[in-house]
Amino acid sequence: MTLPAAIDSVGAACAHVLLTPHPRGKLMAARAAARAWRLGMLAHRFDAAMPDRPARPDAPELLPPNRMPRRGKIGSERARIAMLHALAHIEFVAIDLAFDLIGRFGGRFPAAFTGDWMQVGAEEAMHFALLDRRLRQMGSFYGALPAHDGLWQAAIETAGDALARLAIVPMVLEARALDITPATIERFEGAGDVTSARMLGRIMTDEIRHVAAGTKWFCAATERMGADPANHYQILVKRHFRGPIKPPFNDSARRQAGLTRDFYDALAT
């Protein structure tokens, strides 16, 4: 689990993750980058351009969100596999989102920013590995079903603005996962799939920390600008996010992440 010898900077390590298409290769590259940073083997230097789009494997087939097949009720194993596959794809894209955030914007922040998001990227890789392993236990695998590319559209939309990226990805999209995951866990438990339910609970605990990292760095940057964090968040969400911000909200989990109601109440539809 090591990076190629020529990679000695944070920027180059992030680009390596993004340009690795195969799921296992990307997983290993993410872990190697985080380990190299933790061991002091990467210079805090941003000398590599991030690609507009990360490399992707031949499968899954990527469809527009409106062409995705319906998953059906989660009581059936087929529907549970479809749900786990969708979550695995989210985590696969989340690996690239974390490393793109570092490689694209890390030079504008202290080194601790890189440390936080390296950990996030490594945890997203671990989440993907857990979900892919569970799919294989159930007779499937990542790539067996189509997936949609909507999540990366948020990266494209916010490629020029670090604060917009923090506002939209961890503070809207990952925060939304905090809202819906408890009900998903209950449905898996109701179907008797306790193994998957426990795994989703473990992932959610990590995701609270990911939202917290986004909120922490967003607030630090806006306060440095002399702006009100909640007000600036609302401006950026209205500008860059096309979907609704809709209840019910998991206020408790959001509050643990520092994302209090004054950020999102005014945006709720």
Side-chain angles (χ1 to χ4, degrees):
M1 193 172 65
T2 58
L3 294 169
I7 294 178
D8 64 354
S9 71
V10 170
C14 291
H16 176 64
V17 174
L18 288 160
L19 294 172
T20 300
H22 191 272
R24 178 160 179 80
K26 192 180 291 290
L27 168 71
M28 298 304 289
R31 288 174 170 172
R35 180 175 182 272
W37 171 259
R38 192 170 62 249
L39 295 177
M41 298 167 62
L42 296 176
H44 192 246
R45 193 172 69 244
F46 299 87
D47 50 359
M50 296 302 105
D52 292 335
R53 300 187 68 86
R56 288 282 177 260
D58 293 335
E61 178 187 8
L62 297 180
L63 301 175
N66 61 1
R67 286 186 52 207
M68 287 292 293
R70 292 181 178 273
R71 285 193 288 266
K73 294 186 177 180
I74 219 159
S76 73
E77 184 174 69
R78 181 178 177 181
R80 292 198 302 278
I81 287 172
M83 172 64 78
L84 293 172
H85 190 279
L87 294 173
H89 182 67
I90 289 170
E91 298 294 348
F92 185 67
V93 178
I95 299 170
D96 287 321
L97 286 168
F99 285 95
D100 184 77
L101 175 64
I102 300 166
R104 192 175 296 273
F105 302 117
R108 308 178 194 182
F109 292 89
F113 177 90
T114 292
D116 282 354
W117 293 102
M118 282 284 185
Q119 180 178 347
V120 170
E123 289 177 350
E124 304 291 21
M126 181 265 288
H127 298 167
F128 172 78
L130 288 173
L131 288 158
D132 185 49
R133 183 175 67 188
R134 182 62 182 144
L135 285 169
R136 292 178 187 278
Q137 290 171 347
M138 297 174 75
S140 189
F141 59 92
Y142 176 64
L145 299 172
H148 73 76
D149 202 32
L151 194 54
W152 192 255
Q153 294 303 314
I156 294 171
E157 172 66 29
T158 59
D161 187 338
L163 289 181
R165 176 68 63 85
L166 290 169
I168 301 306
V169 175
M171 298 174 71
V172 170
L173 298 176
E174 290 200 77
R176 182 60 181 158
L178 302 183
D179 300 334
I180 64 177
T181 299
T184 303
I185 291 171
E186 286 183 9
R187 289 199 293 272
F188 272 87
E189 288 174 339
D193 189 349
V194 177
T195 300
S196 296
R198 286 176 178 166
M199 181 187 62
L200 295 177
R202 176 182 176 180
I203 290 172
M204 181 175 164
T205 298
D206 292 341
E207 298 294 351
I208 292 173
R209 291 200 305 272
H210 300 178
V211 177
T215 305
K216 177 181 81 172
W217 288 107
F218 181 87
C219 289
T222 49
E223 287 167 0
R224 207 162 47 240
M225 292 165 46
D228 176 72
N231 183 62
H232 198 59
Y233 170 78
Q234 292 160 16
I235 291 169
L236 291 174
V237 172
K238 289 174 183 177
R239 183 180 301 161
H240 294 284
F241 189 67
R242 295 182 177 87
I245 308 295
K246 58 184 180 182
F249 300 115
N250 186 344
D251 293 320
S252 174
R254 285 170 172 251
R255 188 167 55 252
Q256 288 181 61
L259 189 62
T260 49
R261 293 184 66 97
D262 54 314
F263 280 88
Y264 56 87
D265 262 356
L267 297 169
T269 58

